[in-house]
PDB file of all heavy atoms in Angstrom:
ATOM      1  N   GLY A   1     -16.272  29.764  25.004  1.00 94.00           N
ATOM      2  CA  GLY A   1     -17.591  30.353  24.868  1.00 94.00           C
ATOM      3  C   GLY A   1     -18.614  29.548  25.634  1.00 94.00           C
ATOM      4  O   GLY A   1     -18.473  28.329  25.769  1.00 94.00           O
ATOM      5  N   GLN A   2     -19.617  30.227  26.137  1.00 96.00           N
ATOM      6  CA  GLN A   2     -20.679  29.571  26.881  1.00 96.00           C
ATOM      7  C   GLN A   2     -21.742  29.040  25.929  1.00 96.00           C
ATOM      8  O   GLN A   2     -22.050  29.682  24.913  1.00 96.00           O
ATOM      9  CB  GLN A   2     -21.330  30.566  27.836  1.00 96.00           C
ATOM     10  CG  GLN A   2     -20.401  31.081  28.911  1.00 96.00           C
ATOM     11  CD  GLN A   2     -20.063  30.011  29.926  1.00 96.00           C
ATOM     12  OE1 GLN A   2     -20.913  29.222  30.323  1.00 96.00           O
ATOM     13  NE2 GLN A   2     -18.805  29.993  30.358  1.00 96.00           N
ATOM     14  N   PRO A   3     -22.308  27.884  26.221  1.00 97.00           N
ATOM     15  CA  PRO A   3     -23.438  27.420  25.390  1.00 97.00           C
ATOM     16  C   PRO A   3     -24.539  28.470  25.374  1.00 97.00           C
ATOM     17  O   PRO A   3     -24.917  28.998  26.427  1.00 97.00           O
ATOM     18  CB  PRO A   3     -23.882  26.144  26.110  1.00 97.00           C
ATOM     19  CG  PRO A   3     -22.658  25.656  26.813  1.00 97.00           C
ATOM     20  CD  PRO A   3     -21.945  26.903  27.252  1.00 97.00           C
ATOM     21  N   GLY A   4     -25.010  28.759  24.183  1.00 97.00           N
ATOM     22  CA  GLY A   4     -26.037  29.774  24.026  1.00 97.00           C
ATOM     23  C   GLY A   4     -25.499  31.179  23.906  1.00 97.00           C
ATOM     24  O   GLY A   4     -26.248  32.115  23.603  1.00 97.00           O
ATOM     25  N   GLY A   5     -24.229  31.342  24.096  1.00 97.00           N
ATOM     26  CA  GLY A   5     -23.620  32.664  24.068  1.00 97.00           C
ATOM     27  C   GLY A   5     -23.035  33.024  22.722  1.00 97.00           C
ATOM     28  O   GLY A   5     -23.068  32.233  21.783  1.00 97.00           O
ATOM     29  N   PRO A   6     -22.470  34.233  22.631  1.00 97.00           N
ATOM     30  CA  PRO A   6     -21.879  34.705  21.392  1.00 97.00           C
ATOM     31  C   PRO A   6     -20.345  34.648  21.419  1.00 97.00           C
ATOM     32  O   PRO A   6     -19.727  34.570  22.490  1.00 97.00           O
ATOM     33  CB  PRO A   6     -22.340  36.160  21.340  1.00 97.00           C
ATOM     34  CG  PRO A   6     -22.302  36.574  22.786  1.00 97.00           C
ATOM     35  CD  PRO A   6     -22.662  35.336  23.574  1.00 97.00           C
ATOM     36  N   ARG A   7     -19.796  34.704  20.253  1.00 97.00           N
ATOM     37  CA  ARG A   7     -18.353  34.809  20.092  1.00 97.00           C
ATOM     38  C   ARG A   7     -18.133  35.394  18.709  1.00 97.00           C
ATOM     39  O   ARG A   7     -18.825  35.028  17.765  1.00 97.00           O
ATOM     40  CB  ARG A   7     -17.688  33.439  20.171  1.00 97.00           C
ATOM     41  CG  ARG A   7     -16.189  33.495  20.397  1.00 97.00           C
ATOM     42  CD  ARG A   7     -15.891  33.388  21.870  1.00 97.00           C
ATOM     43  NE  ARG A   7     -14.511  33.759  22.146  1.00 97.00           N
ATOM     44  CZ  ARG A   7     -14.084  34.095  23.345  1.00 97.00           C
ATOM     45  NH1 ARG A   7     -14.897  34.085  24.375  1.00 97.00           N
ATOM     46  NH2 ARG A   7     -12.820  34.427  23.535  1.00 97.00           N
ATOM     47  N   LYS A   8     -17.165  36.307  18.578  1.00 98.00           N
ATOM     48  CA  LYS A   8     -16.900  36.916  17.272  1.00 98.00           C
ATOM     49  C   LYS A   8     -15.455  36.683  16.889  1.00 98.00           C
ATOM     50  O   LYS A   8     -14.536  37.032  17.627  1.00 98.00           O
ATOM     51  CB  LYS A   8     -17.200  38.416  17.298  1.00 98.00           C
ATOM     52  CG  LYS A   8     -17.105  39.071  15.927  1.00 98.00           C
ATOM     53  CD  LYS A   8     -17.560  40.516  15.975  1.00 98.00           C
ATOM     54  CE  LYS A   8     -17.586  41.147  14.590  1.00 98.00           C
ATOM     55  NZ  LYS A   8     -18.093  42.540  14.619  1.00 98.00           N
ATOM     56  N   LEU A   9     -15.273  36.100  15.723  1.00 98.00           N
ATOM     57  CA  LEU A   9     -13.942  35.859  15.187  1.00 98.00           C
ATOM     58  C   LEU A   9     -13.612  36.918  14.145  1.00 98.00           C
ATOM     59  O   LEU A   9     -14.496  37.392  13.426  1.00 98.00           O
ATOM     60  CB  LEU A   9     -13.859  34.482  14.550  1.00 98.00           C
ATOM     61  CG  LEU A   9     -14.232  33.287  15.441  1.00 98.00           C
ATOM     62  CD1 LEU A   9     -14.049  31.985  14.664  1.00 98.00           C
ATOM     63  CD2 LEU A   9     -13.435  33.279  16.715  1.00 98.00           C
ATOM     64  N   SER A  10     -12.329  37.253  14.072  1.00 98.00           N
ATOM     65  CA  SER A  10     -11.852  38.197  13.072  1.00 98.00           C
ATOM     66  C   SER A  10     -10.721  37.566  12.279  1.00 98.00           C
ATOM     67  O   SER A  10      -9.946  36.772  12.813  1.00 98.00           O
ATOM     68  CB  SER A  10     -11.343  39.475  13.744  1.00 98.00           C
ATOM     69  OG  SER A  10     -12.357  40.109  14.500  1.00 98.00           O
ATOM     70  N   CYS A  11     -10.642  37.937  11.039  1.00 98.00           N
ATOM     71  CA  CYS A  11      -9.558  37.483  10.163  1.00 98.00           C
ATOM     72  C   CYS A  11      -9.009  38.703   9.441  1.00 98.00           C
ATOM     73  O   CYS A  11      -9.674  39.249   8.546  1.00 98.00           O
ATOM     74  CB  CYS A  11     -10.060  36.450   9.174  1.00 98.00           C
ATOM     75  SG  CYS A  11      -8.852  35.991   7.900  1.00 98.00           S
ATOM     76  N   ALA A  12      -7.831  39.117   9.835  1.00 97.00           N
ATOM     77  CA  ALA A  12      -7.201  40.284   9.235  1.00 97.00           C
ATOM     78  C   ALA A  12      -6.253  39.839   8.131  1.00 97.00           C
ATOM     79  O   ALA A  12      -5.384  38.993   8.356  1.00 97.00           O
ATOM     80  CB  ALA A  12      -6.448  41.069  10.294  1.00 97.00           C
ATOM     81  N   ALA A  13      -6.428  40.407   6.960  1.00 96.00           N
ATOM     82  CA  ALA A  13      -5.606  40.057   5.807  1.00 96.00           C
ATOM     83  C   ALA A  13      -4.524  41.110   5.580  1.00 96.00           C
ATOM     84  O   ALA A  13      -4.735  42.298   5.841  1.00 96.00           O
ATOM     85  CB  ALA A  13      -6.471  39.933   4.559  1.00 96.00           C
ATOM     86  N   SER A  14      -3.381  40.668   5.057  1.00 95.00           N
ATOM     87  CA  SER A  14      -2.265  41.581   4.806  1.00 95.00           C
ATOM     88  C   SER A  14      -2.438  42.350   3.508  1.00 95.00           C
ATOM     89  O   SER A  14      -1.684  43.292   3.254  1.00 95.00           O
ATOM     90  CB  SER A  14      -0.948  40.793   4.771  1.00 95.00           C
ATOM     91  OG  SER A  14      -0.977  39.826   3.741  1.00 95.00           O
ATOM     92  N   GLU A  15      -3.393  41.917   2.686  1.00 91.00           N
ATOM     93  CA  GLU A  15      -3.661  42.602   1.434  1.00 91.00           C
ATOM     94  C   GLU A  15      -5.150  42.887   1.327  1.00 91.00           C
ATOM     95  O   GLU A  15      -5.957  42.316   2.046  1.00 91.00           O
ATOM     96  CB  GLU A  15      -3.190  41.756   0.254  1.00 91.00           C
ATOM     97  CG  GLU A  15      -1.689  41.499   0.254  1.00 91.00           C
ATOM     98  CD  GLU A  15      -1.230  40.756  -0.981  1.00 91.00           C
ATOM     99  OE1 GLU A  15      -1.962  40.745  -1.985  1.00 91.00           O
ATOM    100  OE2 GLU A  15      -0.128  40.185  -0.948  1.00 91.00           O
ATOM    101  N   THR A  16      -5.480  43.761   0.385  1.00 92.00           N
ATOM    102  CA  THR A  16      -6.869  44.156   0.259  1.00 92.00           C
ATOM    103  C   THR A  16      -7.756  42.961  -0.048  1.00 92.00           C
ATOM    104  O   THR A  16      -7.491  42.186  -0.973  1.00 92.00           O
ATOM    105  CB  THR A  16      -7.028  45.239  -0.825  1.00 92.00           C
ATOM    106  OG1 THR A  16      -8.428  45.518  -1.002  1.00 92.00           O
ATOM    107  CG2 THR A  16      -6.444  44.789  -2.148  1.00 92.00           C
ATOM    108  N   ILE A  17      -8.804  42.803   0.726  1.00 90.00           N
ATOM    109  CA  ILE A  17      -9.693  41.654   0.518  1.00 90.00           C
ATOM    110  C   ILE A  17     -10.571  41.845  -0.708  1.00 90.00           C
ATOM    111  O   ILE A  17     -11.173  40.894  -1.194  1.00 90.00           O
ATOM    112  CB  ILE A  17     -10.554  41.374   1.768  1.00 90.00           C
ATOM    113  CG1 ILE A  17     -11.455  42.563   2.101  1.00 90.00           C
ATOM    114  CG2 ILE A  17      -9.681  40.990   2.939  1.00 90.00           C
ATOM    115  CD1 ILE A  17     -12.421  42.278   3.238  1.00 90.00           C
ATOM    116  N   SER A  18     -10.610  43.066  -1.232  1.00 87.00           N
ATOM    117  CA  SER A  18     -11.372  43.299  -2.453  1.00 87.00           C
ATOM    118  C   SER A  18     -10.731  42.595  -3.645  1.00 87.00           C
ATOM    119  O   SER A  18     -11.388  42.391  -4.664  1.00 87.00           O
ATOM    120  CB  SER A  18     -11.461  44.802  -2.737  1.00 87.00           C
ATOM    121  OG  SER A  18     -12.129  45.470  -1.690  1.00 87.00           O
ATOM    122  N   SER A  19      -9.460  42.235  -3.509  1.00 85.00           N
ATOM    123  CA  SER A  19      -8.777  41.543  -4.596  1.00 85.00           C
ATOM    124  C   SER A  19      -8.995  40.039  -4.552  1.00 85.00           C
ATOM    125  O   SER A  19      -8.575  39.317  -5.447  1.00 85.00           O
ATOM    126  CB  SER A  19      -7.277  41.831  -4.537  1.00 85.00           C
ATOM    127  OG  SER A  19      -6.695  41.212  -3.399  1.00 85.00           O
ATOM    128  N   MET A  20      -9.647  39.580  -3.492  1.00 89.00           N
ATOM    129  CA  MET A  20      -9.880  38.142  -3.333  1.00 89.00           C
ATOM    130  C   MET A  20     -11.127  37.713  -4.092  1.00 89.00           C
ATOM    131  O   MET A  20     -12.115  38.451  -4.145  1.00 89.00           O
ATOM    132  CB  MET A  20     -10.060  37.807  -1.852  1.00 89.00           C
ATOM    133  CG  MET A  20      -8.985  38.315  -0.937  1.00 89.00           C
ATOM    134  SD  MET A  20      -7.384  37.609  -1.310  1.00 89.00           S
ATOM    135  CE  MET A  20      -6.371  38.530  -0.142  1.00 89.00           C
ATOM    136  N   LYS A  21     -11.076  36.505  -4.659  1.00 92.00           N
ATOM    137  CA  LYS A  21     -12.284  35.954  -5.266  1.00 92.00           C
ATOM    138  C   LYS A  21     -13.330  35.703  -4.188  1.00 92.00           C
ATOM    139  O   LYS A  21     -14.530  35.819  -4.404  1.00 92.00           O
ATOM    140  CB  LYS A  21     -11.972  34.648  -5.988  1.00 92.00           C
ATOM    141  CG  LYS A  21     -11.131  34.814  -7.237  1.00 92.00           C
ATOM    142  CD  LYS A  21     -10.916  33.473  -7.915  1.00 92.00           C
ATOM    143  CE  LYS A  21     -10.111  33.620  -9.190  1.00 92.00           C
ATOM    144  NZ  LYS A  21      -9.897  32.314  -9.851  1.00 92.00           N
ATOM    145  N   GLY A  22     -12.844  35.309  -3.018  1.00 94.00           N
ATOM    146  CA  GLY A  22     -13.740  35.041  -1.908  1.00 94.00           C
ATOM    147  C   GLY A  22     -12.944  34.744  -0.661  1.00 94.00           C
ATOM    148  O   GLY A  22     -11.730  34.505  -0.718  1.00 94.00           O
ATOM    149  N   MET A  23     -13.643  34.798   0.460  1.00 96.00           N
ATOM    150  CA  MET A  23     -13.025  34.444   1.728  1.00 96.00           C
ATOM    151  C   MET A  23     -14.000  33.592   2.513  1.00 96.00           C
ATOM    152  O   MET A  23     -15.220  33.678   2.317  1.00 96.00           O
ATOM    153  CB  MET A  23     -12.648  35.699   2.506  1.00 96.00           C
ATOM    154  CG  MET A  23     -11.603  36.534   1.795  1.00 96.00           C
ATOM    155  SD  MET A  23     -10.924  37.850   2.795  1.00 96.00           S
ATOM    156  CE  MET A  23      -9.938  36.920   3.987  1.00 96.00           C
ATOM    157  N   GLY A  24     -13.455  32.769   3.367  1.00 97.00           N
ATOM    158  CA  GLY A  24     -14.337  31.879   4.104  1.00 97.00           C
ATOM    159  C   GLY A  24     -13.784  31.478   5.442  1.00 97.00           C
ATOM    160  O   GLY A  24     -12.605  31.675   5.736  1.00 97.00           O
ATOM    161  N   TRP A  25     -14.673  30.944   6.239  1.00 98.00           N
ATOM    162  CA  TRP A  25     -14.313  30.371   7.527  1.00 98.00           C
ATOM    163  C   TRP A  25     -14.564  28.866   7.482  1.00 98.00           C
ATOM    164  O   TRP A  25     -15.638  28.418   7.073  1.00 98.00           O
ATOM    165  CB  TRP A  25     -15.162  30.992   8.644  1.00 98.00           C
ATOM    166  CG  TRP A  25     -14.783  32.386   9.007  1.00 98.00           C
ATOM    167  CD1 TRP A  25     -15.349  33.546   8.562  1.00 98.00           C
ATOM    168  CD2 TRP A  25     -13.737  32.768   9.897  1.00 98.00           C
ATOM    169  NE1 TRP A  25     -14.723  34.620   9.120  1.00 98.00           N
ATOM    170  CE2 TRP A  25     -13.718  34.175   9.951  1.00 98.00           C
ATOM    171  CE3 TRP A  25     -12.802  32.063  10.670  1.00 98.00           C
ATOM    172  CZ2 TRP A  25     -12.821  34.896  10.735  1.00 98.00           C
ATOM    173  CZ3 TRP A  25     -11.912  32.778  11.457  1.00 98.00           C
ATOM    174  CH2 TRP A  25     -11.929  34.171  11.482  1.00 98.00           C
ATOM    175  N   TYR A  26     -13.559  28.131   7.906  1.00 98.00           N
ATOM    176  CA  TYR A  26     -13.645  26.684   8.015  1.00 98.00           C
ATOM    177  C   TYR A  26     -13.431  26.314   9.480  1.00 98.00           C
ATOM    178  O   TYR A  26     -12.929  27.113  10.265  1.00 98.00           O
ATOM    179  CB  TYR A  26     -12.561  26.009   7.170  1.00 98.00           C
ATOM    180  CG  TYR A  26     -12.808  26.043   5.685  1.00 98.00           C
ATOM    181  CD1 TYR A  26     -12.745  27.235   4.971  1.00 98.00           C
ATOM    182  CD2 TYR A  26     -13.091  24.870   4.977  1.00 98.00           C
ATOM    183  CE1 TYR A  26     -12.970  27.254   3.595  1.00 98.00           C
ATOM    184  CE2 TYR A  26     -13.307  24.877   3.614  1.00 98.00           C
ATOM    185  CZ  TYR A  26     -13.241  26.071   2.923  1.00 98.00           C
ATOM    186  OH  TYR A  26     -13.464  26.086   1.582  1.00 98.00           O
ATOM    187  N   ARG A  27     -13.792  25.102   9.815  1.00 98.00           N
ATOM    188  CA  ARG A  27     -13.498  24.620  11.161  1.00 98.00           C
ATOM    189  C   ARG A  27     -13.154  23.136  11.107  1.00 98.00           C
ATOM    190  O   ARG A  27     -13.590  22.410  10.216  1.00 98.00           O
ATOM    191  CB  ARG A  27     -14.666  24.849  12.109  1.00 98.00           C
ATOM    192  CG  ARG A  27     -15.921  24.054  11.807  1.00 98.00           C
ATOM    193  CD  ARG A  27     -17.054  24.488  12.742  1.00 98.00           C
ATOM    194  NE  ARG A  27     -18.288  23.757  12.473  1.00 98.00           N
ATOM    195  CZ  ARG A  27     -19.453  24.047  13.047  1.00 98.00           C
ATOM    196  NH1 ARG A  27     -19.544  25.050  13.930  1.00 98.00           N
ATOM    197  NH2 ARG A  27     -20.528  23.346  12.751  1.00 98.00           N
ATOM    198  N   GLN A  28     -12.361  22.734  12.085  1.00 98.00           N
ATOM    199  CA  GLN A  28     -11.973  21.334  12.185  1.00 98.00           C
ATOM    200  C   GLN A  28     -12.038  20.910  13.645  1.00 98.00           C
ATOM    201  O   GLN A  28     -11.301  21.440  14.487  1.00 98.00           O
ATOM    202  CB  GLN A  28     -10.571  21.095  11.616  1.00 98.00           C
ATOM    203  CG  GLN A  28     -10.189  19.636  11.546  1.00 98.00           C
ATOM    204  CD  GLN A  28      -8.970  19.394  10.685  1.00 98.00           C
ATOM    205  OE1 GLN A  28      -8.186  20.301  10.411  1.00 98.00           O
ATOM    206  NE2 GLN A  28      -8.811  18.161  10.225  1.00 98.00           N
ATOM    207  N   ALA A  29     -12.942  19.994  13.910  1.00 96.00           N
ATOM    208  CA  ALA A  29     -13.069  19.438  15.250  1.00 96.00           C
ATOM    209  C   ALA A  29     -12.161  18.216  15.365  1.00 96.00           C
ATOM    210  O   ALA A  29     -11.812  17.600  14.347  1.00 96.00           O
ATOM    211  CB  ALA A  29     -14.516  19.048  15.516  1.00 96.00           C
ATOM    212  N   PRO A  30     -11.786  17.847  16.572  1.00 92.00           N
ATOM    213  CA  PRO A  30     -10.910  16.676  16.749  1.00 92.00           C
ATOM    214  C   PRO A  30     -11.496  15.426  16.109  1.00 92.00           C
ATOM    215  O   PRO A  30     -12.665  15.090  16.311  1.00 92.00           O
ATOM    216  CB  PRO A  30     -10.837  16.529  18.270  1.00 92.00           C
ATOM    217  CG  PRO A  30     -11.089  17.895  18.802  1.00 92.00           C
ATOM    218  CD  PRO A  30     -12.083  18.498  17.858  1.00 92.00           C
ATOM    219  N   GLY A  31     -10.675  14.754  15.311  1.00 94.00           N
ATOM    220  CA  GLY A  31     -11.106  13.528  14.670  1.00 94.00           C
ATOM    221  C   GLY A  31     -12.017  13.707  13.475  1.00 94.00           C
ATOM    222  O   GLY A  31     -12.510  12.729  12.916  1.00 94.00           O
ATOM    223  N   LYS A  32     -12.255  14.966  13.087  1.00 96.00           N
ATOM    224  CA  LYS A  32     -13.147  15.222  11.950  1.00 96.00           C
ATOM    225  C   LYS A  32     -12.421  15.972  10.855  1.00 96.00           C
ATOM    226  O   LYS A  32     -11.378  16.575  11.076  1.00 96.00           O
ATOM    227  CB  LYS A  32     -14.369  16.017  12.412  1.00 96.00           C
ATOM    228  CG  LYS A  32     -15.285  15.267  13.368  1.00 96.00           C
ATOM    229  CD  LYS A  32     -16.545  16.051  13.630  1.00 96.00           C
ATOM    230  CE  LYS A  32     -17.504  15.268  14.529  1.00 96.00           C
ATOM    231  NZ  LYS A  32     -18.754  16.024  14.781  1.00 96.00           N
ATOM    232  N   GLN A  33     -13.006  15.926   9.678  1.00 97.00           N
ATOM    233  CA  GLN A  33     -12.433  16.655   8.552  1.00 97.00           C
ATOM    234  C   GLN A  33     -12.749  18.143   8.665  1.00 97.00           C
ATOM    235  O   GLN A  33     -13.743  18.538   9.288  1.00 97.00           O
ATOM    236  CB  GLN A  33     -12.989  16.106   7.233  1.00 97.00           C
ATOM    237  CG  GLN A  33     -12.478  14.721   6.868  1.00 97.00           C
ATOM    238  CD  GLN A  33     -12.869  14.307   5.461  1.00 97.00           C
ATOM    239  OE1 GLN A  33     -13.927  14.709   4.961  1.00 97.00           O
ATOM    240  NE2 GLN A  33     -12.027  13.532   4.814  1.00 97.00           N
ATOM    241  N   ARG A  34     -11.904  18.932   8.061  1.00 97.00           N
ATOM    242  CA  ARG A  34     -12.156  20.369   8.021  1.00 97.00           C
ATOM    243  C   ARG A  34     -13.392  20.613   7.163  1.00 97.00           C
ATOM    244  O   ARG A  34     -13.540  20.037   6.087  1.00 97.00           O
ATOM    245  CB  ARG A  34     -10.946  21.097   7.444  1.00 97.00           C
ATOM    246  CG  ARG A  34     -10.994  22.593   7.589  1.00 97.00           C
ATOM    247  CD  ARG A  34      -9.687  23.245   7.133  1.00 97.00           C
ATOM    248  NE  ARG A  34      -8.551  22.835   7.959  1.00 97.00           N
ATOM    249  CZ  ARG A  34      -7.346  23.400   7.876  1.00 97.00           C
ATOM    250  NH1 ARG A  34      -7.135  24.386   7.022  1.00 97.00           N
ATOM    251  NH2 ARG A  34      -6.372  22.978   8.650  1.00 97.00           N
ATOM    252  N   GLU A  35     -14.279  21.478   7.645  1.00 98.00           N
ATOM    253  CA  GLU A  35     -15.498  21.767   6.898  1.00 98.00           C
ATOM    254  C   GLU A  35     -15.672  23.269   6.706  1.00 98.00           C
ATOM    255  O   GLU A  35     -15.273  24.072   7.558  1.00 98.00           O
ATOM    256  CB  GLU A  35     -16.739  21.199   7.609  1.00 98.00           C
ATOM    257  CG  GLU A  35     -17.075  21.859   8.932  1.00 98.00           C
ATOM    258  CD  GLU A  35     -18.453  21.489   9.467  1.00 98.00           C
ATOM    259  OE1 GLU A  35     -19.264  20.875   8.742  1.00 98.00           O
ATOM    260  OE2 GLU A  35     -18.718  21.836  10.634  1.00 98.00           O
ATOM    261  N   LEU A  36     -16.304  23.606   5.601  1.00 98.00           N
ATOM    262  CA  LEU A  36     -16.631  25.004   5.330  1.00 98.00           C
ATOM    263  C   LEU A  36     -17.808  25.403   6.208  1.00 98.00           C
ATOM    264  O   LEU A  36     -18.843  24.737   6.221  1.00 98.00           O
ATOM    265  CB  LEU A  36     -16.996  25.181   3.855  1.00 98.00           C
ATOM    266  CG  LEU A  36     -17.505  26.558   3.434  1.00 98.00           C
ATOM    267  CD1 LEU A  36     -16.464  27.636   3.687  1.00 98.00           C
ATOM    268  CD2 LEU A  36     -17.923  26.540   1.979  1.00 98.00           C
ATOM    269  N   VAL A  37     -17.646  26.499   6.910  1.00 98.00           N
ATOM    270  CA  VAL A  37     -18.697  27.011   7.784  1.00 98.00           C
ATOM    271  C   VAL A  37     -19.466  28.139   7.095  1.00 98.00           C
ATOM    272  O   VAL A  37     -20.686  28.143   7.064  1.00 98.00           O
ATOM    273  CB  VAL A  37     -18.099  27.533   9.107  1.00 98.00           C
ATOM    274  CG1 VAL A  37     -19.183  28.163   9.978  1.00 98.00           C
ATOM    275  CG2 VAL A  37     -17.390  26.409   9.843  1.00 98.00           C
ATOM    276  N   ALA A  38     -18.731  29.085   6.543  1.00 98.00           N
ATOM    277  CA  ALA A  38     -19.366  30.226   5.893  1.00 98.00           C
ATOM    278  C   ALA A  38     -18.376  30.837   4.918  1.00 98.00           C
ATOM    279  O   ALA A  38     -17.161  30.782   5.136  1.00 98.00           O
ATOM    280  CB  ALA A  38     -19.800  31.283   6.912  1.00 98.00           C
ATOM    281  N   SER A  39     -18.902  31.416   3.853  1.00 98.00           N
ATOM    282  CA  SER A  39     -18.034  32.058   2.878  1.00 98.00           C
ATOM    283  C   SER A  39     -18.733  33.254   2.284  1.00 98.00           C
ATOM    284  O   SER A  39     -19.974  33.366   2.305  1.00 98.00           O
ATOM    285  CB  SER A  39     -17.623  31.084   1.785  1.00 98.00           C
ATOM    286  OG  SER A  39     -18.749  30.681   1.019  1.00 98.00           O
ATOM    287  N   ILE A  40     -17.913  34.154   1.746  1.00 96.00           N
ATOM    288  CA  ILE A  40     -18.438  35.348   1.089  1.00 96.00           C
ATOM    289  C   ILE A  40     -17.565  35.634  -0.125  1.00 96.00           C
ATOM    290  O   ILE A  40     -16.338  35.596  -0.042  1.00 96.00           O
ATOM    291  CB  ILE A  40     -18.479  36.550   2.063  1.00 96.00           C
ATOM    292  CG1 ILE A  40     -19.104  37.773   1.394  1.00 96.00           C
ATOM    293  CG2 ILE A  40     -17.103  36.859   2.622  1.00 96.00           C
ATOM    294  CD1 ILE A  40     -19.450  38.883   2.372  1.00 96.00           C
ATOM    295  N   THR A  41     -18.211  35.869  -1.262  1.00 94.00           N
ATOM    296  CA  THR A  41     -17.473  36.154  -2.479  1.00 94.00           C
ATOM    297  C   THR A  41     -17.280  37.660  -2.639  1.00 94.00           C
ATOM    298  O   THR A  41     -17.900  38.460  -1.935  1.00 94.00           O
ATOM    299  CB  THR A  41     -18.205  35.618  -3.711  1.00 94.00           C
ATOM    300  OG1 THR A  41     -19.419  36.377  -3.896  1.00 94.00           O
ATOM    301  CG2 THR A  41     -18.543  34.151  -3.551  1.00 94.00           C
ATOM    302  N   THR A  42     -16.453  38.014  -3.603  1.00 90.00           N
ATOM    303  CA  THR A  42     -16.222  39.423  -3.887  1.00 90.00           C
ATOM    304  C   THR A  42     -17.532  40.129  -4.216  1.00 90.00           C
ATOM    305  O   THR A  42     -17.735  41.286  -3.830  1.00 90.00           O
ATOM    306  CB  THR A  42     -15.248  39.576  -5.062  1.00 90.00           C
ATOM    307  OG1 THR A  42     -14.019  38.930  -4.725  1.00 90.00           O
ATOM    308  CG2 THR A  42     -14.981  41.041  -5.362  1.00 90.00           C
ATOM    309  N   GLY A  43     -18.416  39.408  -4.895  1.00 90.00           N
ATOM    310  CA  GLY A  43     -19.693  39.985  -5.272  1.00 90.00           C
ATOM    311  C   GLY A  43     -20.708  40.028  -4.156  1.00 90.00           C
ATOM    312  O   GLY A  43     -21.806  40.556  -4.320  1.00 90.00           O
ATOM    313  N   GLY A  44     -20.345  39.443  -3.015  1.00 90.00           N
ATOM    314  CA  GLY A  44     -21.233  39.497  -1.868  1.00 90.00           C
ATOM    315  C   GLY A  44     -22.101  38.274  -1.659  1.00 90.00           C
ATOM    316  O   GLY A  44     -22.945  38.256  -0.759  1.00 90.00           O
ATOM    317  N   SER A  45     -21.926  37.254  -2.470  1.00 95.00           N
ATOM    318  CA  SER A  45     -22.704  36.032  -2.272  1.00 95.00           C
ATOM    319  C   SER A  45     -22.217  35.323  -1.013  1.00 95.00           C
ATOM    320  O   SER A  45     -21.021  35.183  -0.797  1.00 95.00           O
ATOM    321  CB  SER A  45     -22.558  35.109  -3.482  1.00 95.00           C
ATOM    322  OG  SER A  45     -23.097  35.713  -4.628  1.00 95.00           O
TER     323      SER A  45
END
């Protein structure tokens, strides 16, 4: 991706995501711990 530009990630689940308590995106950079980037609960939080 270009600095200042966009990128869209997708996560396709094998089961209905409505059954999940929540889903989230994490990231891990080299030499760093995995961190939570964004999450969404079943209720939409």
Side-chain angles (χ1 to χ4, degrees):
Q2 296 290 320
R7 196 94 194 161
K8 187 174 185 177
L9 304 182
S10 300
C11 172
S14 60
E15 298 185 19
T16 175
I17 61 174
S18 299
S19 69
M20 308 298 176
K21 291 182 178 180
M23 296 190 71
W25 286 97
Y26 286 69
R27 66 186 179 188
Q28 187 166 19
K32 294 187 177 181
Q33 289 189 329
R34 191 174 297 189
E35 67 168 349
L36 174 61
V37 176
S39 65
I40 183 167
T41 68
T42 301
S45 296

